[in-house]
Amino acid sequence: MSQTITIDPVTRLEGHGKITIQLNDKGEVEDAHFHVTQVRGFERFSEGRPFYEMPSLMARICGICPVSHLIASAKACEAIMSVRIPHTAAQLRRMLNLAQMVQSHALSFFYLASPDLLLGMEADPKVRNILGVAATKPELGRAGIALRRFGQSIIELLADKRVHPGWVVPGGVTEPLAAAKRDKILAMIPEAYANIDLALGAYKKIADTFKAEIGVFANFPSNYLSLINEDESIEFTDGALRLIDARGKTIEDGITASRYAEVIGEAVEPYSYTKFAYYKPLGYPEGSYRVGPLARLNIVKSMGTPKAEQELAGFKQLAAGPVESSFHYHHARLVEMLYGVEKIEEILADPRILDKHVRATAGVNRLEGTGQAEAPRGVLHHHYKVDENGKITWANLVIATGQNNKAMNLGVLQAAKHYVKKGKFTEGILNRVEAVVRTFDPCLSCSSHAAGQMPLEISLLSADGEVVDRLVR
Amino acid sequence: MSKLKLATVWLDGCSGCHMSFLDMDERLLELAEVVDVVYSPIVDTKEFPDEVDIALVEGAVASVDDEKKIKKIRDRSKMLIAMGDCAITGNVPSMRNPIGPEAILDRAYIQNASAQAQIPCVVVPKLLRVVRPIHEFVKVDVFLPGCPPSAGTFHTALTALVNGGPLDIPALTRFGA
Ligand code: SF4
């Protein structure tokens, strides 16, 4: 008889998700899906609200990357106002976005993934978590906590609150940076470098022991999309998008926020509340692509900061063309954290960083606006329409997890096919299937902006969809 | 003395309350000396355990799954804490209430889709007509407001609860904090 394995909830993940694996009557894996189970309706319930409220409302999509939503939303509002924000405001927002990238990558790498990497995929599930890491590898556990604290403290210093700060508003930011705060941030930087060094060293030592996982964790050719600067260096807040193909060739370049809707579409699958983004000219699913740290490092030619530049060279040596296995998202994340710290230091040295002019003002000068920014897990896009009074009449959001959705589903299938044989599986095997999803660091909270919430579970279902078995830890 | 069993649960929220909980940073390690985190998005337990001492719940009740979960949590927990404004008032998730789930789903999956437009219905849970706060379903023992409550609030409140000391919530936090 055919069966379905259900993993519910998928744990150490930012949100509500389930995995189902369908087995045929020989016990071989036929299909597998990753389900996002939450929906919330931001696109619809923002209608009728004043556009300038959008950044702080949209930040509530996600408590992990509220800053990227604040920025993408503020940029969409600035398109409606037709203003360019002051240089200093742009630099301060860039620093805020980088601080968030560092804290979110620290969360993904240390709190969520490192239990698998440092304690082992087969470790006792009771201790396979950040507290278990802190107990057995205290130095690394503390480094992870300190790196997340580093990012969150900068957000608090700049914007007054660690989660859901105000500060970023249409037109810029509400308050300039005080010299005392700049000095506090500068004083935190040496410790951050030391902790990233420690993490990079530890990761490189163990990466080779995961050859099997590297081989089947969403290891296949795909397209990639990310922001990039004109000089081909990495960018999180400005720049324009580049899409490359599986061999690294540019498919389309210079995609600005206002052109996004022309080239990116969204498909719906019946098994998930998160949609599936794709490049329209190639159609769905051929036009699917990956975003986030792996995509960014595959696309850019340089980091633009000295230490990260060296690390990028090492990363690019993992493959002749684009690095394909999603396992390497972990490595890419560490390189980006290093870049984040270097770039924050560089921005603080900008002679105009304490400038008092940090906000442009204007009313409604256009009835439509778009904004894009890189969230830690990939680019996100906000698109609003307003009436003459500035009331929102329509909104659409495309977020990172939707853009990685196809690859996550194919990756879960690839790993399940490799590990589940003759209907047999262990807890450690199912943990590996979950670990595929963890490499992407999907934000299920973000991806459920459309309507709801995403639980993660593994159950074994029969061909007619009946639950035959369930894995409960 | 055996450690207290602590659970943290995420219903229909943005995870911001959980992030603020993690913002206790190094103080989490001290907390781990007196409590066991037996169920949480950050640990690998799949089934909500029996006899939890303290359950912190983020988010409102928005789907049939949430409703089942909150009842199970109540049955199995000695103390249930509504963590953050979504759990306490419905907050942002409840902004969909005047519109209703059909219009929300229609906008997201029919109008704003460019391929295979359809309403997802396989494995994903049905949405409740109205999003409501936790206390409308089960008894809540402690209300900890804020969007999110700060890490300091979590630390002070949990320390008081673990030690059985007095807890003055209005002195710590408020709605919208
Ligand atoms: S109360 Fe605020 S921080 Fe907490 S889940 Fe709700 S929106 Fe997020």
Side-chain angles (χ1 to χ4, degrees):
Chain A
M1 189 189 65
S2 57
Q3 301 179 293
T4 302
I5 307 171
T6 303
I7 308 179
D8 176 20
V10 182
T11 43
R12 284 186 282 127
L13 202 64
E14 291 134 348
H16 307 271
K18 296 188 203 194
I19 291 171
T20 56
I21 304 169
Q22 281 89 37
L23 307 180
N24 64 19
D25 48 10
K26 296 195 191 78
E28 277 153 15
V29 173
E30 284 269 311
D31 210 349
H33 291 118
F34 174 57
H35 312 266
V36 178
T37 55
Q38 180 183 24
V39 205
R40 293 153 76 207
F42 278 82
E43 292 171 338
R44 183 63 173 72
F45 69 57
S46 54
E47 270 174 31
R49 312 191 75 83
F51 79 93
Y52 51 78
E53 262 188 17
M54 290 299 269
S56 53
L57 178 61
M58 290 297 165
R60 261 73 180 180
I61 288 173
C62 177
I64 302 153
C65 46
V67 167
S68 309
H69 283 287
L70 275 175
I71 291 175
S73 179
K75 288 172 102 179
C77 294
E78 283 143 14
I80 288 167
M81 297 151 74
S82 305
V83 292
R84 262 182 71 185
I85 68 170
H87 166 83
T88 302
Q91 286 283 67
L92 291 170
R93 286 183 358 182
R94 175 168 292 122
M95 175 157 51
L96 190 75
N97 206 17
L98 290 169
Q100 178 196 252
M101 181 267 282
V102 173
Q103 71 83 8
S104 174
H105 280 5
L107 174 73
S108 168
F109 186 85
F110 291 98
Y111 289 67
L112 307 178
S114 84
D116 296 329
L117 303 175
L118 299 172
L119 307 179
M121 296 283 175
E122 309 269 349
D124 179 358
K126 285 209 189 65
V127 299
R128 203 170 53 206
N129 56 57
I130 178 69
L131 297 169
V133 169
T136 35
K137 316 252 177 195
E139 256 201 319
L140 283 164
R142 286 192 176 266
I145 292 173
L147 280 166
R148 186 173 174 279
R149 171 167 49 73
F150 170 80
Q152 290 289 73
S153 307
I154 295 178
I155 294 172
E156 190 176 9
L157 281 165
L158 290 174
D160 257 0
K161 214 175 149 193
R162 287 179 166 207
V163 179
H164 300 324
W167 196 57
V168 174
V169 289
V173 296
T174 52
E175 288 286 330
L177 176 64
K181 290 186 174 180
R182 175 196 57 191
D183 298 344
K184 268 194 188 159
I185 300 173
L186 283 170
M188 292 167 6
I189 284 178
E191 189 202 14
Y193 279 135
N195 285 326
I196 294 177
D197 270 358
L198 197 72
L200 265 167
Y203 178 82
K204 285 179 191 166
K205 249 189 235 146
I206 55 165
D208 273 353
T209 62
F210 291 94
K211 284 220 169 77
E213 285 81 3
I214 290 170
V216 297
F217 275 27
N219 186 14
F220 42 67
S222 75
N223 306 311
Y224 303 91
L225 179 81
S226 82
L227 287 179
I228 185 167
N229 284 314
E230 266 175 27
D231 66 1
E232 304 200 297
S233 63
I234 197 163
E235 177 58 52
F236 283 80
T237 308
D238 294 316
L241 290 167
R242 175 179 292 179
L243 180 74
I244 63 167
D245 69 12
R247 281 171 305 148
K249 235 180 82 233
T250 299
I251 299 176
E252 188 149 348
D253 208 6
I255 307 169
T256 53
S258 60
R259 283 196 51 231
Y260 195 87
E262 247 172 65
V263 290
I264 302 300
E266 290 180 285
V268 184
E269 294 281 5
Y271 54 80
S272 182
Y273 277 139
T274 292
K275 290 187 270 191
F276 294 73
Y278 63 97
Y279 177 61
K280 276 185 184 164
L282 292 176
Y284 178 77
E286 288 70 26
S288 302
Y289 54 87
R290 278 182 270 190
V291 296
L294 184 76
R296 290 189 289 254
L297 294 204
N298 276 336
I299 290 172
V300 302
K301 301 279 188 264
S302 85
M303 303 300 282
T305 57
K307 292 182 214 271
E309 191 66 26
Q310 274 188 9
E311 292 298 332
L312 178 70
F315 182 85
K316 295 249 183 209
Q317 272 164 18
L318 291 169
V323 176
E324 289 184 347
S325 172
S326 282
F327 193 89
H328 297 305
Y329 267 101
H330 296 310
H331 189 166
R333 229 163 253 133
L334 293 172
V335 177
E336 287 192 340
M337 284 167 84
L338 179 57
Y339 161 80
V341 180
E342 284 185 287
K343 192 73 186 176
I344 287 169
E345 197 177 17
E346 190 187 301
I347 292 171
L348 287 171
D350 183 331
R352 289 159 69 190
I353 200 64
L354 302 180
D355 203 293
K356 301 278 178 271
H357 186 53
V358 290
R359 187 172 183 179
T361 50
V364 175
N365 288 308
R366 260 190 228 145
L367 299 182
E368 188 167 356
T370 49
Q372 59 196 15
E374 289 281 345
R377 46 201 56 74
V379 67
L380 43 96
H381 191 81
H382 284 227
H383 185 181
Y384 311 147
K385 290 181 188 166
V386 294
D387 65 16
E388 254 128 60
N389 300 314
K391 296 261 169 63
I392 298 284
T393 59
W394 178 90
N396 191 35
L397 315 173
V398 181
I399 44 72
T401 303
Q403 299 169 89
N404 278 333
N405 211 354
K406 192 72 201 173
M408 285 194 291
N409 273 278
L410 292 174
V412 163
L413 177 61
Q414 185 181 36
K417 276 196 165 155
H418 178 84
Y419 287 111
V420 180
K421 292 272 153 64
K422 300 211 171 89
K424 291 212 174 70
F425 56 91
T426 59
E427 194 278 337
I429 282 178
L430 296 188
N431 182 45
R432 283 187 177 84
V433 176
E434 291 182 69
V436 175
V437 180
R438 286 182 202 123
T439 64
F440 288 91
D441 187 29
C443 187
L444 309 189
S445 190
C446 282
S447 66
S448 59
H449 65 277
Q453 186 165 354
M454 163 155 146
L456 212 45
E457 79 176 21
I458 295 190
S459 59
L460 199 56
L461 309 181
S462 69
D464 49 13
E466 215 182 302
V467 177
V468 179
D469 197 3
R470 252 176 117 125
L471 185 78
V472 178
R473 285 177 184 150
Chain B
M1 196 184 84
S2 72
K3 288 186 183 180
L4 288 180
K5 291 188 187 153
L6 177 77
T8 78
V9 187
W10 176 353
L11 301 180
D12 199 22
C14 78
S15 79
C17 288
H18 269 86
M19 291 306 111
S20 196
F21 175 85
L22 293 183
D23 280 340
M24 282 191 279
D25 299 329
E26 284 81 357
R27 287 175 290 179
L28 284 171
L29 302 178
E30 289 159 29
L31 187 68
E33 283 166 20
V34 289
V35 304
D36 259 333
V37 182
V38 292
Y39 183 90
S40 166
I42 63 159
V43 306
D44 273 348
T45 321
K46 301 296 180 191
E47 175 73 14
F48 196 87
D50 289 328
E51 300 186 6
V52 165
D53 292 296
I54 301 175
L56 285 163
V57 183
E58 167 190 317
V61 178
S63 73
V64 292
D65 275 12
D66 295 341
E67 188 173 353
K68 260 189 253 157
K69 270 190 228 160
I70 194 64
K71 290 183 174 150
K72 188 188 274 184
I73 293 162
R74 178 67 276 182
D75 281 350
R76 297 181 181 183
S77 311
K78 288 194 193 126
M79 178 185 289
L80 196 161
I81 304 182
M83 144 167 90
D85 292 343
C86 293
I88 295 173
T89 69
N91 199 27
V92 177
S94 68
M95 287 169 74
R96 77 157 157 87
N97 287 353
I99 300 161
E102 289 83 10
I104 295 284
L105 295 169
D106 188 68
R107 166 59 56 86
Y109 303 110
I110 306 290
Q111 295 171 38
N112 283 3
S114 53
Q116 304 184 175
Q118 62 189 306
I119 307 286
C121 60
V122 178
V123 180
V124 297
K126 275 219 163 58
L127 300 183
L128 296 178
R129 182 135 291 284
V130 172
V131 177
R132 290 189 293 168
I134 297 173
H135 67 266
E136 293 194 17
F137 294 85
V138 296
K139 179 172 165 277
V140 168
D141 302 300
V142 178
F143 294 86
L144 210 56
C147 182
S150 72
T153 295
F154 279 120
H155 187 248
T156 312
L158 287 172
T159 309
L161 291 171
V162 167
N163 298 327
L167 177 57
D168 180 5
I169 290 171
L172 289 175
T173 182
R174 58 179 165 79
F175 173 70

